[in-house]
Every structure is written in structure tokens, then in C-alpha cells.
DNA sequence: CGGCCATGTTAAGTAAACTTTACATAAAAA
DNA sequence: TTTTTATGTAAAGTTTACTTAACATGGCCG
């Protein structure tokens, strides 16, 4: 699964720190998501999508798995 | 977070066993999701939504959290 | 130059998702 | 009545998401 977090965060001129605190997770978590180390929980995915004003499917790209 | 898994599964006349094998998880996982013991991973949420031909947001209801 | 800011790495720990196995029960079918 | 089918519970174990903390680096600004 790919995601557009870094791209969308930069569009909004947000730092990892700012996004993390909006989501109420740590900066490490944002780094791990942006760098593809693991996938977010569905709740975190929803929070992130909401912050960007998009649906989960618009932020997280599910390729064949 | 609430979900409509049981409702949608019954609409499709599917057993927990059938849904589980389509998702490639165990029946226990489906039971746990239907009975609200825990939330699915984003990958499992996506698979389930896909099986029902819906978006994640149509199957999983995010109330204020 | 020197310091700060944003990003990244590593590692160890906790919490939550998911598995495996075993057993229980009610309803339908044989 | 006995068996089968669908659903559920419980407990212990593995894997993955997330935290905490410490340290590294390149870019920018004074």
C-alpha cells in the first residue's frame, strides 16, 4: 500500500511535527508512515484523511495485494 | 468506530466462514470485528469494503473520536 | 562560523490486530 | 434423537502499529 501523506502535507505547508500533533500521534509515527515502514491503523488513516479533507481511498492507494 | 459487516454479510447471504476465507483471515477475526472487539487493519478494512462493493467509509462508521 | 529547524535512523518497549486451538450452544436437518 | 451448521467464548501466542528516547545530518539564518 502506498500513501500520499508527504505530498499532501507539503501541499498544506505542514511539518511532520504539526501533522503529528493534529493526529495526536508522535512524529516517529508520521515518519514511519511517510517512509512506508508500516501502515496506519484505520482510525489513524481516517484522522489523516480528514485533516486533508479527503477520503481514506484518496490518501491511501491500495494496489493489488 | 462502528461497522456494518454483519448487516452487509447477511444481505449477501454469506457465513462468517465464507467472508473470512474471501478476506484470507480466520473466522475469529470476523467474529471479533462484527462484535466490536477490535478494529480491522486498514488493509483488512479495504478488503472487506471491496468484497461488499463499497468504500471503507461506507462500511466503517467513524463517529467522534 | 554556530545554532536552530526539519527530517531521518536506531533500538527497546507497550498495545492492538490477528492466529490457533479447544470447547459451548442453539437451530436446522437427517 | 442424533448430527451438522452457524455462531460465539476463552486463552495463549505471534506480528504489527505506535511510543519513547537518544542521536545524526543537511539547510538556512543569525
Amino acid at each position: 500500500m502506498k500513501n500520499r501523506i508527504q505530498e499532501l502535507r507539503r501541499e498544506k505547508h505542514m511539518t511532520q511535527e504539526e501533522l503529528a500533533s493534529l493526529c495526536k500521534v508522535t512524529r516517529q509515527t508520521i515518519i514511519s508512515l511517510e517512509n512506508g515502514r508500516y501502515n496506519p491503523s484505520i482510525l489513524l488513516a481516517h484522522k489523516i484523511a480528514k485533516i486533508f479533507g479527503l477520503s481514506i481511498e484518496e490518501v491511501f492507494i491500495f494496489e493489488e495485494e
Side-chain angles (χ1 to χ4, degrees), chain A residues 6-15 18 52:
Chain A
Q6 190 168 71
E7 169 197 348
L8 294 164
R9 177 176 62 78
R10 287 184 171 154
E11 266 181 27
K12 298 251 180 186
H13 306 292
M14 231 181 266
T15 66
E18 287 166 347
F52 293 133

Side-chain angles (χ1 to χ4, degrees), chain A residues 3-9 19 33-34 48 52 60:
Chain A
N3 72 69
R4 298 172 54 213
I5 298 177
Q6 190 168 71
E7 169 197 348
L8 294 164
R9 177 176 62 78
L19 178 56
L33 297 180
E34 289 192 353
I48 292 173
F52 293 133
F60 300 92

